[in-house]
Amino acid sequence: MLAAGKTREEIAGGIIQSVVTKVMALAGRVGTESPILLTGGLAQMEGIRKELELQTGCPVNVSQFSRYAGAIGAALKA
């Protein structure tokens, strides 16, 4: 993409849109309710949160512990 003249910002924006589109497809299987809680390592990326808010029209909350959500769930289940 750089060779095609795209800026790093445009490339990053495209990646963010791609990730959020995939998240939306997966969330569409189970449905969503407002507000949305975003978990996982990518939740710490402000661009992901903002794009998800744009595509859903719902506020998206992120916990400071979001990157540990899977590990916390596994520990509670064990």
Side-chain angles (χ1 to χ4, degrees), residues 12 16 19 22 25 29 31 33 57 60 62 64 66-67 73 76 78:
I16 287 170
V19 168
K22 180 66 172 176
R29 294 180 183 177
E33 294 181 19
V60 176
V62 176
Q64 66 183 15
S66 62
R67 74 174 52 211
L76 291 172

Side-chain angles (χ1 to χ4, degrees), residues 1-71:
M1 299 305 318
L2 288 172
K6 300 291 183 185
T7 66
R8 285 180 159 73
E9 291 81 10
E10 290 172 319
I11 295 168
I15 293 169
I16 287 170
Q17 285 180 336
S18 177
V19 168
V20 171
T21 298
K22 180 66 172 176
V23 168
M24 293 294 297
L26 294 171
R29 294 180 183 177
V30 295
T32 58
E33 294 181 19
S34 181
I36 295 170
L37 177 63
L38 185 60
T39 64
L42 291 179
Q44 300 299 316
M45 292 182 63
E46 186 68 14
I48 298 281
R49 187 191 61 76
K50 286 182 179 180
E51 184 65 24
L52 192 55
E53 283 183 339
L54 283 173
Q55 288 196 28
T56 63
C58 297
V60 176
N61 298 322
V62 176
S63 166
Q64 66 183 15
F65 303 111
S66 62
R67 74 174 52 211
Y68 306 112

